[in-house]
Amino acid sequence: EAQVTQNPRYLITVTGKKLTVTCSQNMNHEYMSWYRQDPGLGLRQIYYSMNVEVTDKGDVPEGYKVSRKEKRNFPLILESPSPNQTSLYFCASSALAEIYNEQFFGPGTRLTVL
Amino acid sequence: GQQVMQIPQYQHVQEGEDFTTYCNSSTTLSNIQWYKQRPGGHPVFLIQLVKSGEVKKQKRLTFQFGEAKKNSSLHITATQTTDVGTYFCAGRVLLNSGAGSYQLTFGKGTKLSVIP
């Protein structure tokens, strides 16, 4: 089954404790992206990757890091989480084709930083 | 940078009434996509519009792409309780055709509530 998986689905942590949210897709997609969703603000892109070893900042990259060492994986790293990073996070992937490029979203990770 | 404005932010309708959400982009788009997010779920792709003036239908849903490729709308006829959720548009701008680089910007979404 074609899917994007994220782990963990829920996480409560404390300020300053490094954490990683994993994302994996099995569709051989070149493009992967991380979004955060907050009430009234919609989906805001954090980072994206066009292919292995190629990453770029989205609209709200501050406080986040990513890596793309393998095509299927795109982890999101919070080196020193702060309460303003409490949010719902989605990973997404798509082909880079001109037309068939719908985004497939993971189930989401709800993060609370105390 | 590219901005995509979506209105309204919220819409409450009686079951059976129609519903429309609108998106406007600050720049000309390569294409526009629409997604639906059910409460507690993740965004799910509905459709993509590519051509100027394009109109596509999915049962009770009608999607339109403006002639200038800067605006789009989603219209639902005779809403049902299963239509409840947040509808997002996402505008795609091609940055570098050679590298296949593009920017995808989501609108803030329209949250639809349907009163039975």
Side-chain angles (χ1 to χ4, degrees), chain A residues 37 50 98-99 101 103 106, chain B residues 33 35 37 48 92 100-101:
Chain A
Q37 185 174 30
M50 306 285 281
E98 188 66 31
I99 296 178
N101 49 50
Q103 300 269 306
Chain B
Q33 299 173 349
Y35 293 80
Q37 184 179 21
Q48 177 171 275
R92 187 170 184 256
S101 172

Side-chain angles (χ1 to χ4, degrees), chain A residues 94-103, chain B residues 30-33 35 45 47-51 54 56 92 94 102:
Chain A
S94 72
L96 269 182
E98 188 66 31
I99 296 178
Y100 300 109
N101 49 50
E102 64 179 275
Q103 300 269 306
Chain B
S30 299
N31 59 52
I32 193 159
Q33 299 173 349
Y35 293 80
F45 176 81
I47 208 161
Q48 177 171 275
L49 304 171
V50 179
K51 300 176 183 176
E54 189 169 14
K56 286 188 176 180
R92 187 170 184 256
L94 191 61
Y102 67 88

Side-chain angles (χ1 to χ4, degrees), chain A residues 62-75:
Chain A
E62 293 77 21
Y64 304 94
K65 286 175 59 177
V66 292
S67 69
R68 188 90 182 271
K69 292 181 169 53
E70 303 166 286
K71 197 172 186 178
R72 64 183 294 125
N73 297 323
F74 191 44

